[in-house]
Amino acid sequence: MADSTTFKQRLLGLQSNLFSFAYQLTTNKEAAQDLVQDTTLKVLDNETKYVDNVNFKGWVFTIMRNIFINNYRRQVRSATVVDTTEDLYHLNLSQESGLTTPEGSFAAREISEAINDFAPEYKQPFTMYVAGYKYSEIAEKMGLPLGTVKSRIFFARKRLQTLLKDYR
């Protein structure tokens, strides 16, 4: 860019827009302020890479979006637990299902009863889907078109949501 002061003035003029966009991405005021600061620093560090005929605002917003995505990916990676024990002890621990509490067992019974009341043409594909079968596998086992299986599962899910709306 020809004039460094013009570059910085344009960047300062975008600060409120950057904050609004950052807040949409993060939904947190402090995180949005951090993202604006990171973006501003990155833009200033890369001032020499900016080409005059490129949309300045778009360039800056793209930098912000990329910083947000990279930070998100970094957080996901750091939150991933890797079990390095010899016999995978941590992975093989039983997980809390919630069924041991009276509320949990009552909810599970209600859900099972609601599913059992479905007509067989809806109950079978829905229970197979919940058990982990893919749509194509269900269609093949039931001898139905893929679209029919998808719509039956969709309608079963909607009916279940309606029947159990008190649990939301």
Side-chain angles (χ1 to χ4, degrees):
M1 179 166 231
D3 190 4
S4 181
T5 57
T6 307
F7 184 87
K8 291 175 183 170
Q9 288 172 344
R10 290 172 72 184
L11 182 59
L12 288 174
L14 286 177
Q15 293 297 301
S16 64
N17 294 346
L18 287 172
F19 179 77
S20 297
F21 184 56
Y23 190 76
Q24 286 178 344
L25 293 172
T26 62
T27 66
N28 179 313
K29 185 178 178 182
E30 289 80 25
Q33 290 170 338
D34 289 344
L35 184 56
V36 170
Q37 185 177 19
D38 291 345
T39 303
T40 303
L41 288 173
K42 183 104 172 178
V43 168
L44 290 172
D45 286 344
N46 291 296
E47 179 180 351
T48 57
K49 295 179 183 176
Y50 177 72
V51 181
D52 277 332
N53 61 349
V54 174
N55 177 0
F56 182 73
K57 186 176 180 180
W59 183 69
V60 173
F61 275 63
T62 300
I63 290 172
M64 176 178 277
R65 189 196 58 187
N66 290 342
I67 290 172
F68 174 77
I69 291 170
N70 290 338
N71 289 343
Y72 175 78
R73 288 180 179 158
R74 191 176 302 116
Q75 286 176 343
V76 168
R77 268 196 309 274
S78 68
T80 303
V81 176
V82 178
D83 187 359
T84 57
T85 59
E86 187 174 324
D87 59 354
L88 300 176
Y89 173 77
H90 297 291
L91 289 177
N92 292 323
L93 287 175
S94 63
Q95 301 298 316
E96 177 62 42
S97 65
L99 295 178
T100 56
T101 65
E103 298 84 16
S105 59
F106 179 71
R109 187 174 65 242
E110 290 265 322
I111 293 168
S112 295
E113 288 174 3
I115 292 171
N116 287 333
D117 289 342
F118 287 177
E121 61 266 14
Y122 292 97
K123 177 182 172 184
Q124 186 178 2
F126 184 75
T127 54
M128 290 175 74
Y129 179 75
V130 170
Y133 287 92
K134 295 179 182 172
Y135 288 122
S136 57
E137 295 172 331
I138 298 168
E140 185 180 316
K141 288 186 190 271
M142 293 186 69
L144 295 171
L146 184 63
T148 303
V149 169
K150 287 181 177 182
S151 67
R152 287 183 181 177
I153 292 170
F154 172 80
F155 287 119
R157 186 181 304 125
K158 286 296 178 189
R159 181 164 179 230
L160 190 60
Q161 286 174 347
T162 302
L163 292 172
L164 301 172
K165 65 181 176 235
D166 295 336
Y167 289 104
R168 285 189 188 180

